[in-house]
Amino acid sequence: MSETIESERQTADDPMLAVSNLTKTFSGITAVDGVSFDVQEGEMTGLIGPNGAGKSTTFNCITNLVEPGEGEVVFDGEDITGMQTHDIARDGLVRTFQIARELREMTVLENMMVSPKDQTETALAAVLPGMRNSVRKEEQVMVEQAWETLDFFEIDHLAYEFAGTLSGGQRKLLELARALMADPDMVLLDEPFAGVNPTLEDRLLDRLHELTDQGYTFLIVEHDIDLIMNNCVDVIVMHQGRLLAEGPPSTVRNDERVVDAYLGGEVAE
Amino acid sequence: MSTVGGIVDQVRTRLKESEYGDASLIVGIMLAIYVLYVLFGLSLGFNLNGQINALQRITFLTAVFAMAGLALNLHWGYTGLFNVGIAGFMAIGVYVMGIATAPIDPESASAIPGLGLPVPVGIVLGIVAAALAGLIISLPALRLKADYLAIVTLGFSEIIRLSFSSSTLQQFTIGGYTMGTGGNSGLNLAGDPSRLVRDFYETGFGIAPLDSVSNGIVTAFNSVGIERVVAINVTYTMLVVLVLVLVYFMMWRLGNSPFGRTLRAIREDEETARALGKDTRLLKAKSFAIGCGLLGLAAIFWQGSRGLTTPDTYLIELTVFVWIVVIIGGTGSNTGTVLGAALFVSLLQEGPRYLRNVIRNSFEVPRAPTSIADAFGSLGGGDPLPLVAYVFEELAALQFVILGVVLILIVQRNPKGLMGHRKEPASTLNLMDPRPESQTDSGTQEATDE
């Protein structure tokens, strides 16, 4: 079934991220079952589905935190299937986590400074006098950029706090800000709105739209269907490891299978 | 026990409020320890040379354990690597140094020949060998979770110790060079770091001006009544302290840099570091190898004045000692590690023996009873002295009990140690500084423009 949907969705321009026939089995249980979808550049795409639909596993397979069993992942024209997680991030595909993974015992500013990928982080450069000076200059530029990014998310007042002391919503903002410091082309957001209060949620959405306008690509896993339907250009629906539907919100919303399997099920709970 | 907590809290507040730098903190603690030991010495009737030798010994052991502690702090405090093979890496450093510097044709027939290399070359080889061993061990082990690294390193250190004590490696020949570990009876360290100091005093390295300088130093020491042997010991200790200062400086730079920042990110959450594009395996291997090299260095200077090293030196106890140093001082803090070494050496390792001698000197302590039951029996009879005597007799064994109790107390009451609460800036810049003023007051719009 998923194949027919996929063929309908073929578009002319190359997608930013193309996942085809992704499959992952955990000791006999198929968590992701032959999933294929595209994400277009400069768009916000939503990935929805009930608990256990395989959304997070799909993310993990794309970034190879979990080794994909079968299938292919092409990012920006390059086959990244099975590439090292850190190399994928360096290529410009950065992910965030469902439960914000702030580096607790480091300050917010230090968290931000971890990300930049072109920094000189060899042991020798840290110790030798001449090289250390150029590292210093490099870091001065990075600090400036970190402050500007913190400004953008309006969390600059938290810069000196230990990340472990932030509220749930602030952590989500920090996580996105930190991901942006890694200079990505595309960010995979795993439930960025979970546990975030409505005010922060609006701010986060605002920023996401602004960043999309600047050319960033986002793929967002989310439980809140309305939020995805109202904000994303394209929506992907997963159910029990399979792709159920893919398309603009208006199409997906009226898809019988989606209504049955997902929306119906959710209401019945 | 609450008093212990109270004292620690007080020390902490002092440390927090302290306007003085870390250096003066360390010097202050060392001075306090010196005062304690001078008092010990006075009550034991030490003469000047005895006093100086005691202080020299405390300083020397503190410096050596501080070095090893700093290495472990890089592993555990910064990177979160659970290294329980410390003794093994230290053994490799010492043995490689010893084999490299042993003379090709030893004077005594029973001595084991070596490669006859100069002492500095031997030291470098020892460090490199320990670092390489760390690298080789880390490559497979770092792919696994932390606990597995512990198992692998523990096994490794025992393999090393048993290999060095095996008769197979006692003496062997490779490519025409005969060398060996000396097996169970140990390895003669004919050319160790202390030989540099002895050479300096004996011949001035064969350079006339240096010889007259060294003779001048000895004369100066003599004029205040300090013997030549003590002068040599003090000089060697000062050399070790100098090495410690260099190591400390290097560790400080390593920690306060992008390298140290990424290591800390790995310690906090390795998966996040990977998701942000960090090659965590490479960085962990680097951190592990650097730390192992430092362990080799510490061990070389530690054993470097004894003339002989035996496999028994590298039992798991040694690993535990270094861990205690880091746990007392507080993981993650280099200054804390040095303080931890000072307290460990002076109060836990050497202190009990001095205290025993002081008490034996001042009180009439009877012969020790043969069993602990007898000792407690007479305690029940109202006479505590047999128990005291028993404790003194068995002090070496009981010291481990004391160490265990101290360890439990720290982990329970103060898991962060003395200075673990303090965070070193993870950057070459001080990230707690106020925000740098940027020239153009760019609004939020430009914030993420690349």
Side-chain angles (χ1 to χ4, degrees), chain B residues 183-230:
Chain B
N184 235 340
S185 51
L187 179 68
N188 271 316
L189 300 176
D192 57 28
S194 72
R195 200 174 104 185
L196 291 177
V197 174
R198 274 183 281 123
D199 279 355
F200 171 66
Y201 278 111
E202 274 157 24
T203 62
F205 305 116
I207 303 164
L210 276 182
D211 196 25
S212 51
V213 168
S214 67
N215 286 336
I217 296 175
V218 171
T219 320
F221 271 112
N222 278 336
S223 67
V224 287
I226 296 170
E227 291 161 16
R228 184 188 168 85
V229 187
V230 178

Side-chain angles (χ1 to χ4, degrees), chain A residues 62-159:
Chain A
I62 291 174
T63 52
N64 197 23
L65 275 176
V66 168
E67 206 179 323
E70 270 175 57
E72 201 185 36
V73 184
V74 176
F75 171 67
D76 207 5
E78 185 191 0
D79 185 356
I80 59 163
T81 324
M83 246 169 74
Q84 294 270 4
T85 303
H86 61 88
D87 286 329
I88 293 175
R90 280 174 177 270
D91 273 357
L93 178 60
V94 174
R95 65 164 295 166
T96 67
F97 291 90
Q98 187 173 352
I99 300 157
R101 302 275 279 270
E102 78 286 353
L103 306 167
R104 302 180 61 85
E105 301 223 331
M106 298 172 80
T107 65
V108 168
L109 202 52
E110 282 171 350
N111 263 270
M112 299 289 287
M113 298 279 284
V114 169
S115 298
K117 56 185 178 187
D118 292 326
Q119 52 183 315
T120 316
E121 47 190 13
T122 61
L124 213 56
V127 175
L128 294 183
M131 291 176 85
R132 194 174 166 86
N133 280 341
S134 64
V135 171
R136 256 183 106 80
K137 291 207 183 85
E138 206 176 277
E139 286 203 278
Q140 273 156 359
V141 177
M142 281 163 47
V143 165
E144 189 119 341
Q145 196 198 343
W147 276 108
E148 284 170 4
T149 312
L150 289 176
D151 274 346
F152 180 74
F153 288 96
E154 294 171 41
I155 48 172
D156 48 309
H157 59 289
L158 299 169

